[in-house]
Amino acid sequence: MELLVKTEGDFCTVSVQDPRIDAAVAVAFKEAVRAQTQDAPPRVILDLTKVTFIDSSGLGAIVATMKHLAPERRLLLAGLTPPVKKVFELTRMDSVFQIFLTLEDALDAERA
Amino acid sequence: MPSVHDNEQPKNAPDATSNPSEFSIEVISSTTATREALLQVIAGLAPIGLDPEDSETVELVLAEVLNNIVEHAYPEVGTVGAIHIRCRHLADGLHFRIRDFGNRMPDDKAPLGEMRSYDVDVEDLPEGGFGWFLIRDLAKDVHYSRIAGGNQLDLRIAVDYG
């Protein structure tokens, strides 16, 4: 699972480079994000701009990541493509996460 | 009925059948079986020209069904289990029949897929249980039967043929 991680002040951005977060990679995703956010600042933005498919395993892996980061750090989501957004909406997980339309929106909010 | 093919490596295109509104594929259970099967189903549906949203729905529902088979029907590592998918394209949507020859569903019933409340502390949020919820939410006429040592799941996805 390839991730691009950038730290800036109080937050870091984790950009997923794979197009799918599904059952085949859910465990690898969780482990990679965990490893990359070990010393992360209080807020972690998960950038999903490149992800075009997520299934229930991928959704579960993102929830697990949020739980792992809590309570010291918060996981924010950005750049959900339509099929990914749909899974969050159907499961109402969009009510659990703070979601930004684009990574830029998330960065603007964090820098403000 | 189209015939089910040999046990060689799954191909990337579904078998041609005499009936253009129907196709069947087969994959062998593995961690990559779902991805292989989805590629073949998407190829099989290409002539219909589904709009992207319907195509995404088909992909998501089948991904959930297939992941469940790989994880629960054939959980033993090294089990070589076949998964058959038949798709019929009828006026009221795409009718899928998914069959495997592994473990039966608990109580011989397909799960209801009820969602738990999210009104809990972060550490108590559910990390699973979304799969059957999504299947039941997106598919219609979901019917499971245990037949002759195998599992058979029928479902319909109402798609817009435009």
Side-chain angles (χ1 to χ4, degrees):
Chain A
M1 172 61 61
E2 202 192 331
L3 304 171
L4 270 183
V5 183
K6 243 167 110 178
T7 300
E8 180 182 332
D10 268 357
F11 63 95
C12 86
T13 309
V14 178
S15 298
V16 180
Q17 302 299 297
D18 291 28
R20 301 174 77 87
I21 309 178
D22 61 11
V25 297
V27 173
F29 167 83
K30 257 194 293 197
E31 285 171 358
V33 178
R34 235 168 244 207
Q36 297 275 0
T37 55
Q38 245 171 6
D39 306 308
R43 286 186 302 282
V44 176
I45 304 167
L46 185 65
D47 171 22
L48 298 171
T49 308
K50 289 192 177 165
V51 179
T52 52
F53 181 82
I54 187 169
D55 64 8
S56 63
S57 306
L59 180 65
I62 292 176
V63 175
T65 301
M66 175 173 70
K67 289 161 74 167
H68 177 74
L69 291 171
E72 294 87 9
R73 293 155 298 175
R74 274 190 67 195
L75 183 68
L76 317 175
L77 307 181
L80 278 62
T81 59
V84 174
K85 187 165 173 259
K86 186 173 168 182
V87 171
F88 275 83
E89 287 174 351
L90 288 170
T91 58
R92 293 184 293 106
M93 270 292 163
D94 58 337
S95 66
V96 170
F97 288 91
Q98 191 175 350
I99 300 176
F100 292 92
L101 200 57
T102 64
L103 176 59
E104 275 312 306
D105 287 351
L107 294 173
D108 286 347
E110 288 306 309
R111 286 171 182 148
Chain B
M1 277 287 288
S3 65
V4 175
H5 21 122
D6 44 56
N7 288 326
E8 287 168 26
Q9 279 289 101
K11 302 164 203 89
N12 278 327
D15 279 356
T17 67
S18 53
N19 185 345
S21 64
E22 172 171 331
F23 65 87
S24 294
I25 64 162
E26 184 191 52
V27 293
I28 302 300
S29 182
S30 76
T31 52
T32 55
T34 298
R35 285 186 176 194
E36 288 163 21
L38 292 176
L39 282 174
Q40 293 188 48
V41 169
I42 289 163
L45 290 173
I48 300 175
L50 295 179
D51 71 44
E53 207 175 315
D54 284 338
S55 190
E56 286 157 18
T57 300
V58 169
E59 187 173 5
L60 181 58
V61 169
L62 289 184
E64 299 302 341
V65 170
L66 296 168
N67 287 339
N68 283 335
I69 293 173
V70 172
E71 285 171 34
H72 303 298
Y74 296 125
E76 299 83 12
V77 178
T79 305
V80 178
I83 305 170
H84 301 246
I85 303 169
R86 187 193 69 194
C87 175
R88 278 186 177 154
H89 158 199
L90 302 177
D92 63 350
L94 300 171
H95 292 241
F96 287 96
R97 169 165 289 176
I98 302 106
R99 294 167 62 215
D100 67 76
F101 308 92
N103 297 335
R104 64 207 316 150
M105 299 245 192
D107 302 325
D108 285 348
K109 286 192 186 102
L112 293 174
E114 284 160 339
M115 296 289 278
R116 284 197 273 150
S117 168
Y118 298 153
D119 194 14
V120 293
D121 292 335
V122 171
E123 64 258 37
D124 295 324
L125 281 171
E127 293 173 34
F130 310 119
W132 270 102
F133 171 81
L134 290 169
I135 295 167
R136 297 228 182 244
D137 197 58
L138 294 169
K140 313 233 181 314
D141 306 338
V142 177
H143 181 75
Y144 167 75
S145 20
R146 177 77 184 177
I147 297 172
N151 299 305
Q152 180 169 299
L153 188 72
D154 291 306
L155 58 85
R156 173 170 67 91
I157 298 176
V159 294
D160 183 5
Y161 294 120

